[in-house]
Amino acid sequence: MKVLYIAVWTLCICASLIHCRYVVKISSNVFVDVYSNKRIAFLEALALVLTFLLITSNRMGEDIYNYSYEYDHVSAIWSAREPLYSILKYVFSSLGITFYVFRAVITFIFGLLAVKTLKYFGTDICLVLIFYLPSMIFMDSMQFRNAVAWTILIWSLRYLLYVDRKSKIKFIICTFLAAGIHTFYFIVLLLFCFYFKSRRKKIAYIVIGISIAVSIITFLNGNRIPGFSFLLNLILSKGDARIAFYTDTSAHLGWMMPFGIHFITTIYGIILEKYVSRSDIRSKGIYTYKQILYIQLVNYFNMILFVTVPTMMMSVTYYRMIRGAFIINVVLGTFVFGKRRKLDSFQLFTLSVFTALAILWFVWDIKICQVDTNPLIKPVFEGVWFWLA
């Protein structure tokens, strides 16, 4: 698995260089055109398959043990609050399918939703994977349900771009499907406000203002949100162990690093939106209409996600949403890389920002947040193919 990890990262770097035309063009009897779309598509597909094998290899992680136990005892563990995941477990378990094959099938099916969405926006898949591989891949391999819910969220983004009744209904359905996998994803309903074009900024500022006020109250209350346990009792199933875990802890100052990373990411998004608005005039529409709308959407999402800061102050487990948001921000960063042979200053700025942020996420996820209590890299590097018993 270590060799596979190095191979997929090397492949992504080479494929991304080819895709962006930052390598010398080779023309001969063997290589007619190294920039052929079919060749790039093949490299992307290969990189995705290898990434899929890495994600599904984890068998030793603490969360994976818990998922496996719940799957093997599916008749005894039912979550009315997360019905979609419970139904999927029941169906696959009834068919005699092992948990590891179940995880692989669900990861593959829902992963395709995310990939199709990235292609829908004209994204360089391999460039995204370059920043996904340092730490996000290990987190998604461990936190299976969270990763699946994120793929549904990513798919739902397309329905926020167009203000019509069908799109609104599809977005709401996607949100409930994501919440059916992981309850916390009901928070995505806040994105519905993006439809109100004339009021979205005002709404975002109101959310940020409320977040600041609640954060101050939380800090004064010993990093505990007043009444939060009551809210969790309404959302989660009765007797759910997560209620005590999420409310009886304090993140102390641990929340500051993920908050800082997300703050930098948000600032980059704002700078990018201004850069694109100026560039689009000069370059006669180098960015598609969908990409411009996507940038606006992600910037709105970034501001909305500051609502999670008070919960992060109470338990760092709530940082998962802004961690996942890093990748959708990387996607909008790929829009500045046209098929040119020379890097411009803003492209270099973009690479520097996301390289620094990827390193910070690695330090937080792998070195600080997990420490030795729940190692992330080892279960993947010492993993097993999902089809083996």
Side-chain angles (χ1 to χ4, degrees):
M1 292 299 171
K2 290 180 182 178
V3 173
L4 187 61
Y5 180 78
I6 295 171
V8 67
W9 208 347
T10 304
L11 174 63
C12 286
I13 292 173
C14 294
S16 188
L17 288 172
I18 293 173
H19 186 272
C20 295
R21 295 180 179 257
Y22 293 136
V23 293
V24 178
K25 182 176 179 179
I26 303 173
S27 296
S28 66
N29 294 331
V30 181
F31 299 102
V32 177
D33 187 356
V34 75
Y35 302 124
S36 167
N37 288 333
K38 289 184 178 180
R39 289 187 175 88
I40 293 172
F42 171 76
L43 293 176
E44 287 184 343
L46 180 58
L48 287 168
V49 169
L50 297 181
T51 302
F52 164 75
L53 292 175
L54 284 167
I55 291 175
T56 57
S57 68
N58 190 334
R59 293 200 182 189
M60 300 187 303
E62 184 177 322
D63 286 8
I64 298 302
Y65 278 133
N66 294 333
Y67 288 135
S68 180
Y69 176 82
E70 289 180 3
Y71 183 85
D72 293 336
H73 299 80
V74 67
S75 60
I77 300 177
W78 169 266
S79 174
R81 306 291 186 179
E82 293 164 343
L84 178 56
Y85 183 66
S86 295
I87 292 170
L88 290 172
K89 283 193 300 181
Y90 180 78
V91 171
F92 278 79
S93 179
S94 299
L95 295 173
I97 297 172
T98 67
F99 166 74
Y100 304 108
V101 173
F102 160 73
R103 178 186 59 176
V105 172
I106 297 302
T107 299
F108 179 79
I109 293 174
F110 285 93
L112 283 179
L113 298 180
V115 172
K116 285 180 67 66
T117 302
L118 298 189
K119 298 304 295 182
Y120 175 79
F121 289 112
T123 308
D124 180 351
I125 299 292
C126 287
L127 186 56
V128 173
L129 288 177
I130 288 173
F131 297 102
Y132 176 78
L133 289 169
S135 66
M136 304 295 168
I137 187 172
F138 302 108
M139 299 301 296
D140 286 346
S141 177
M142 182 74 75
Q143 297 169 350
F144 168 50
R145 285 192 305 117
N146 183 74
V148 173
W150 250 107
T151 60
I152 300 174
L153 187 158
I154 292 173
W155 172 265
S156 72
L157 295 179
R158 64 178 64 204
Y159 301 126
L160 286 162
L161 303 187
Y162 306 102
V163 185
D164 60 80
R165 188 176 180 181
K166 287 185 178 179
S167 295
K168 292 177 181 178
I169 293 173
K170 289 177 181 178
F171 172 72
I172 292 174
I173 290 173
C174 286
T175 302
F176 275 85
L177 288 176
I181 297 290
H182 200 299
T183 312
F184 189 60
Y185 282 76
F186 273 121
I187 194 175
V188 179
L189 284 174
L190 288 172
L191 276 175
F192 193 82
C193 298
F194 187 74
Y195 286 118
F196 308 118
K197 186 175 181 179
S198 61
R199 301 179 183 176
R200 64 177 63 148
K201 285 188 177 180
K202 184 178 180 180
I203 293 171
Y205 294 148
I206 290 173
V207 170
I208 292 174
I210 293 173
S211 301
I212 293 172
V214 175
S215 296
I216 294 172
I217 295 171
T218 302
F219 176 76
L220 296 175
N221 195 45
N223 278 16
R224 287 179 174 82
I225 304 174
F228 193 70
S229 58
F230 173 76
L231 179 62
L232 282 182
N233 274 291
L234 292 178
I235 297 175
L236 298 177
S237 302
K238 185 178 180 180
D240 195 314
R242 290 175 294 178
I243 296 174
F245 177 76
Y246 291 161
T247 58
D248 294 340
T249 58
S250 172
H252 302 293
L253 296 178
W255 59 275
M256 295 187 69
M257 185 167 180
F259 165 77
I261 296 173
H262 184 63
F263 181 78
I264 296 171
T265 306
T266 303
I267 295 300
Y268 170 81
I270 294 172
I271 294 172
L272 174 63
E273 185 174 351
K274 292 181 178 180
Y275 172 80
V276 168
S277 64
R278 294 194 301 267
S279 299
D280 197 51
I281 296 173
R282 295 196 306 266
S283 55
K284 298 181 180 180
I286 190 172
Y287 304 98
T288 66
Y289 181 62
K290 287 187 292 188
Q291 290 176 338
I292 294 172
L293 288 178
Y294 178 83
I295 293 171
Q296 295 172 356
L297 170 60
V298 173
N299 282 340
Y300 179 78
F301 191 28
N302 287 336
M303 290 188 284
I304 288 294
L305 284 182
F306 281 107
V307 76
T308 63
V309 172
T311 57
M312 285 195 301
M313 294 172 68
M314 189 168 56
S315 173
V316 290
T317 190
Y318 290 106
Y319 87 104
R320 296 180 187 184
M321 185 65 76
I322 65 170
R323 183 190 71 218
F326 171 67
I327 291 302
I328 65 172
N329 277 275
V330 170
V331 171
L332 61 85
T334 65
F335 297 159
V336 303
F337 293 90
K339 293 183 177 180
R340 308 165 187 169
R341 291 179 183 272
K342 186 178 180 181
L343 284 167
D344 62 32
S345 58
F346 194 81
Q347 290 170 332
L348 287 171
F349 171 69
T350 297
L351 283 176
S352 300
V353 169
F354 285 114
T355 298
L357 291 176
I359 292 171
L360 288 174
W361 274 124
F362 174 83
V363 171
W364 170 253
D365 284 330
I366 309 299
K367 297 298 183 180
I368 297 178
C369 186
Q370 300 302 319
V371 194
D372 295 325
T373 58
N374 192 3
L376 292 172
I377 296 179
K378 184 178 179 181
V380 174
F381 282 174
E382 298 182 5
V384 180
W385 306 118
F386 69 86
W387 59 84
L388 297 179

